Amino acid sequence: MTFAASRKAAAPPCGSDAGSAGRATVTVPLRAHHGGVVLALGSGGTRGLAHLGVLAELEAEGVPVLGIAGTSSGAMMGAMWLALGSAAAIERVREFVRSGLARRMLDIGSDHHVHGLAGVLHRARYGATMIRAVLTRHVLTQEELLARVSFLLPDLSIESLRAPLLVVATDNASGAEVRLGRGPLRLAVAASSAMPGLVAPLALAGRRLQDGGAVAEIPVGAARTLGSPVVAVEVSEGLPIGRPDTDRLPRAMFRAAAMGWLALRNRLLAEADAVIAPAVNHLHWADYHALDEAVEAGRIAARAFLGTVQGSKFKAQS
């Protein structure tokens, strides 16, 4: 595998849209490529733990990360790595799991084809979840989300990190992509992670911002503004199995929406110079107990990538 030729982009001011004008928002200087990669870390809930495995492997192999663009969990894991390093970031997630803050939640597209007592319990939990979703506005308060983000991330500014970071969110009013490259790190990551229905959009940069995965699940465009080559790390959920004769309305609608997300994802990935895809698509988006499995999948995928593209060419020049 070889990388495409470098492509450079202009750097408009922080907080602007990346939409109809086709322009990106960047507040950090574009760095020349002297070995290393720019990463586009995609969203995927706790499947994003695989990003830590990818980053740990790049770190171990001496491959410089020139910049990171991250959406939702990609923003969280990229920020944790930049602030703490791979080993400390993984241990911090382990502490998060032990704290009891890591709560697993059911998907509206959850599979009901589970038999026996386990199936009965699964359907009961699903029913309770759907009732709660109808009767309540959000599963988490903004304060609860920020408490979780604060547990995982130190109180830093984005611009103080050791490499450029763009945190990608979505403007709730316009649906525009918003790229945050300066300001409070915790607040930016929380905004990028504010999944609709889970928590209300957060106020930041004069807007109400929510999960960046709505428009840039894998933020290749944002990463491109930081330099090249751009390597996308994809940790998305696989397309749910369809059972047209038995699927109920929520699952059928969720699967139809997932088809659109898949098509958009493929278009985004086509813009990257290379793609690393850890084998985590089967993991539940809120299962932090899958930490070790996800991290190892990231390591395996990164080693395969480096072996394929002759990884030594990305190591720092002496």
Side-chain angles (χ1 to χ4, degrees):
M1 180 188 298
T2 57
F3 280 123
S6 298
R7 288 171 286 183
K8 296 184 179 180
C14 177
S16 67
D17 298 347
S20 58
R23 302 197 323 183
T25 303
V26 149
T27 60
V28 290
L30 188 68
R31 296 192 175 188
H33 171 44
H34 297 299
V37 295
V38 176
L39 297 176
L41 303 183
S43 65
T46 56
R47 292 185 296 273
L49 295 168
H51 293 314
L52 293 179
V54 171
L55 287 161
E57 199 63 29
L58 295 179
E59 187 176 63
E61 291 298 317
V63 178
V65 174
L66 307 177
I68 294 175
T71 296
S72 193
S73 63
M76 171 64 81
M77 299 308 156
M80 290 184 71
W81 181 77
L82 288 170
L84 304 172
S86 57
I90 292 169
E91 181 56 31
R92 193 63 177 154
V93 176
R94 210 177 301 282
E95 292 172 4
F96 181 69
V97 174
R98 290 196 294 262
S99 75
L101 289 171
R103 190 196 332 165
R104 176 172 172 141
M105 289 165 276
L106 289 177
D107 293 321
I108 62 169
S110 183
D111 195 338
H112 298 287
H113 288 263
V114 183
H115 303 289
L117 178 60
V120 173
L121 294 174
H122 176 88
R123 286 185 285 275
R125 287 182 61 210
Y126 179 83
T129 299
M130 293 302 296
I131 291 172
R132 183 179 180 186
V134 171
L135 298 179
T136 62
R137 293 182 63 194
H138 300 101
V139 176
L140 292 176
T141 65
Q142 292 184 345
E143 291 73 18
E144 288 172 326
L145 173 62
L146 285 167
R148 285 160 171 77
V149 172
S150 297
F151 188 100
L152 293 166
L153 282 175
D155 187 11
L156 299 171
S157 65
I158 298 174
E159 57 268 36
S160 71
L161 297 171
R162 56 192 168 100
L165 173 69
L166 286 178
V167 176
V168 177
T170 303
D171 186 313
N172 178 262
S174 66
E177 178 183 342
V178 177
R179 301 168 183 174
L180 303 166
R182 66 184 178 202
L185 178 63
R186 288 172 170 174
L187 191 55
V189 171
S192 179
S193 305
M195 184 185 301
L198 180 67
V199 65
L202 274 73
L204 183 63
R207 308 181 186 210
R208 295 291 298 279
L209 302 181
Q210 66 183 45
D211 192 336
V215 293
E217 181 183 3
I218 305 161
V220 176
R224 183 70 64 192
T225 66
L226 297 177
S228 64
V230 171
V231 178
V233 184
E234 188 264 323
V235 293
S236 309
E237 184 176 12
L239 183 67
I241 296 172
R243 299 184 178 91
D245 297 325
T246 58
D247 283 344
R248 292 179 172 83
L249 179 63
R251 180 175 170 80
M253 293 181 66
F254 178 82
R255 188 170 188 274
M259 293 177 184
W261 299 331
L262 177 61
L264 174 59
R265 184 184 312 148
N266 288 337
R267 287 196 292 272
L268 292 171
L269 290 173
E271 295 294 320
D273 295 310
V275 176
I276 299 175
V280 293
N281 308 97
H282 62 290
L283 296 179
H284 189 280
W285 69 272
D287 185 8
Y288 275 90
H289 292 84
L291 169 63
D292 292 331
E293 180 181 354
V295 169
E296 182 59 21
R299 287 183 179 275
I300 291 170
R303 285 196 294 268
F305 163 74
L306 290 173
T308 302
V309 299
Q310 298 176 323
S312 61
K313 69 182 284 190
F314 307 114
K315 295 184 179 181
Q317 303 298 311
S318 57

